[in-house]
Amino acid sequence: VKCIGILTSGGDAPGMNAAIRAVTRSAIYNGLQVKGIYRGYRGLVTGEIKEFKSQNVSNIIQLGGTILKTARCQEFTTPEGRQIAYDNMKKEGIDALVIIGGDGSLTGARVFAQEFDVPCIGLPGTIDNDLYGTDTTIGYDTALNTILDAVDKIRDTATSHERLFFVEVMGRDAGFLALNGAIASGAEAAIIPEFSTEVDQLEEFIKNGFRKSKNSSIVIVAESELTGGAMHFAERVKNEYPQYDVRVTILGHLQRGGSPTAHDRILASRLGAAAIDAIMEGQRNVMIGIEHDEVVYVPFTKAIKNDKPIKRELVNVLRELSI
Ligand code: ADP
C-alpha cells in the first residue's frame, strides 16, 4: 500500500475531525500518501478527491463536524455505482481506504471489499455507540455530555414548575445515550428500545419511580420506532394520568454538534493511528475498536448489525438511585 484514501460517511459525529487528523498524520509518518475523499462515498463516485498533507489537518482536533463533509450516497448501494467508485480510486492511485462512519457506512465498506480487492479499514464514528466490538464510538462521549448540559438546564425549569418532562435523545434503536444520559443527569427514568417489547416502561416508571414527594421528574426517551418517542409517552400520560403537568423537549441535532471531549479526541487519535498500523500489518476489512483500553480488530461482519448489549447493571443503578 502506497496511498490511502480517507472519508467520513453517514451521520456526523464530534471527533471525526480528530480521527481524520490522526489517520492523515499517522499515514504520512509511515511514508504513505493520503487523499481526502469528500462527502463520503459520494466523493468516490464523483471523484471529489484531494491530496492531504500534514497541514491540511492542522487546527481541526477541537472542531465538531467533519472537514471532509459527509453524505448519504444512493449510487454506492448499486454495483454500478461501486464500479465507478473503484475506477475513480484506481485513477487517483488510492490502494486502501479508511472509512469513518456508523453501521451503514461500514456495511458499505464491507460490500465494497467483497467485490474489489481493496483493503478497507473502518473506524467507529457515530454518537449512537451502536457498533459492536468497541467500548465506545467516536462522538458518543461528546453527545452524552451535551445531553447532560441540556438536562441540567431542563431540571431548573422542571423543578420550578413541578413538572414531568420527557426529554427525547438520539440513539437510533440503541439506548446507550438515553440510559447513561439518565444516570449522569440524575433523571428519574430512561425509556430505551432494548426493553420496549419486554415491559411497559412507562407503567414501571409511574409505579416505581415517580413519587408525589418529588417536585419534578425527568424521563429520558430514546428516539426510536420501538419506543415511539417522547411525544408518544407525553400523550399517554396526558390521557392516563391527567393529574401530571407534562412537557416534552426533543434535543435533536444539537446532540451531533460541539467540540469533542477529551475522551473522544483521545479515542479518535488512537483509532486513527491504529488504522494505519493495521494497514501496514496487512489487515483488511476490519473495524478498529478499543475494548478494555486495548486496540482490537473487529471483522466488519461482527461489528455491524450485531446488537450490542445494554448492561442490566446500568438499568439497576438508574432505578436504585432515582428513588
Ligand atoms: P451511518 O454510517 O451513519 O449508519 P447510513 O446508514 O446513512 O449512515 O449509511 C451511509 C452510507 O453508506 C449510505 O448512504 C450508503 O452510501 C452506504 N451504505 C449503507 N448501506 C450500504 C449497503 N448495504 N451497500 C452499499 N452501501 C451502503
Side-chain angles (χ1 to χ4, degrees):
V1 173
K2 289 199 177 63
C3 173
I4 64 143
I6 172 171
L7 61 86
T8 50
S9 164
D12 64 320
M16 280 185 162
N17 280 325
I20 294 168
R21 171 180 178 270
V23 171
T24 302
R25 295 242 164 118
S26 176
I28 293 170
Y29 180 86
N30 283 283
L32 302 174
Q33 198 188 5
V34 182
K35 296 209 170 168
I37 299 156
Y38 286 81
R39 299 182 172 78
Y41 294 119
R42 192 190 295 166
L44 264 188
V45 175
T46 60
E48 218 185 328
I49 298 168
K50 172 177 139 180
E51 176 155 10
F52 264 32
K53 300 286 191 197
S54 186
Q55 55 274 28
N56 288 95
V57 294
S58 293
N59 245 319
I60 64 167
I61 194 168
Q62 75 280 23
L63 301 180
T66 157
I67 60 160
L68 281 173
K69 313 289 185 196
T70 183
R72 300 202 151 90
C73 175
Q74 173 57 33
E75 254 191 299
F76 195 78
T77 63
T78 68
E80 298 76 26
R82 291 191 294 273
Q83 180 67 52
I84 297 171
Y86 178 75
D87 294 342
N88 279 331
M89 242 187 82
K90 288 288 114 179
K91 206 165 76 193
E92 290 280 346
I94 297 170
D95 34 36
L97 284 179
V98 178
I99 299 102
I100 306 166
D103 192 85
S105 303
L106 300 191
T107 304
R110 179 180 161 227
V111 172
F112 192 64
Q114 272 171 350
E115 288 172 346
F116 302 99
D117 185 25
V118 177
C120 291
I121 303 292
L123 296 187
T126 165
I127 65 166
D128 304 330
N129 200 30
D130 60 348
L131 287 162
Y132 190 86
T134 189
D135 291 337
T136 63
T137 55
I138 297 166
Y140 169 67
D141 184 66
T142 306
L144 202 49
N145 278 284
T146 300
I147 290 169
L148 296 194
D149 219 45
V151 175
D152 286 349
K153 288 174 177 152
I154 291 167
R155 176 73 76 185
D156 291 343
T157 172
T159 311
S160 303
H161 284 282
E162 306 189 300
R163 279 173 174 153
L164 165 58
F165 262 85
F166 288 96
V167 180
E168 184 175 299
V169 301
M170 286 185 168
R172 196 174 52 172
D173 298 335
F176 298 101
L177 283 174
L179 183 55
N180 283 314
I183 291 173
S185 63
E188 276 65 32
I191 294 180
I192 59 175
E194 286 84 348
F195 299 145
S196 55
T197 52
E198 212 171 287
V199 284
D200 186 334
Q201 295 173 91
L202 179 66
E203 283 301 322
E204 251 204 352
F205 161 65
I206 300 275
K207 264 201 335 260
N208 305 329
F210 189 64
R211 294 178 311 136
K212 282 241 115 140
S213 58
K214 280 200 168 183
N215 62 12
S216 74
S217 275
I218 294 180
V219 177
I220 314 279
V221 183
E223 161 201 72
S224 162
E225 273 180 20
L226 293 169
T227 63
M231 282 294 189
H232 163 74
F233 287 101
E235 285 304 318
R236 265 192 66 188
V237 171
K238 274 184 206 157
N239 292 330
E240 294 168 35
Y241 306 93
Q243 67 271 35
Y244 300 136
D245 188 10
V246 187
R247 291 292 184 280
V248 170
T249 301
I250 295 172
L251 296 185
H253 281 81
L254 71 86
Q255 296 166 87
R256 291 264 190 87
S259 180
T261 57
H263 175 92
D264 276 334
R265 295 184 199 193
I266 294 165
L267 176 67
S269 299
R270 292 179 71 187
L271 292 175
I276 298 304
D277 289 343
I279 288 175
M280 303 296 280
E281 283 169 21
Q283 290 281 343
R284 45 168 63 214
N285 315 334
V286 291
M287 181 194 86
I288 315 282
I290 290 187
E291 272 191 324
H292 312 300
D293 206 33
E294 296 289 341
V295 169
V296 291
Y297 299 148
V298 192
F300 284 147
T301 40
K302 247 185 115 179
I304 53 189
K305 300 279 172 253
N306 203 331
D307 287 335
K308 187 172 176 178
I310 284 262
K311 280 205 177 82
R312 286 276 168 179
E313 176 228 14
L314 295 174
V315 178
N316 293 336
V317 166
L318 177 61
R319 184 171 300 148
E320 285 176 20
L321 303 189
S322 65
I323 55 171

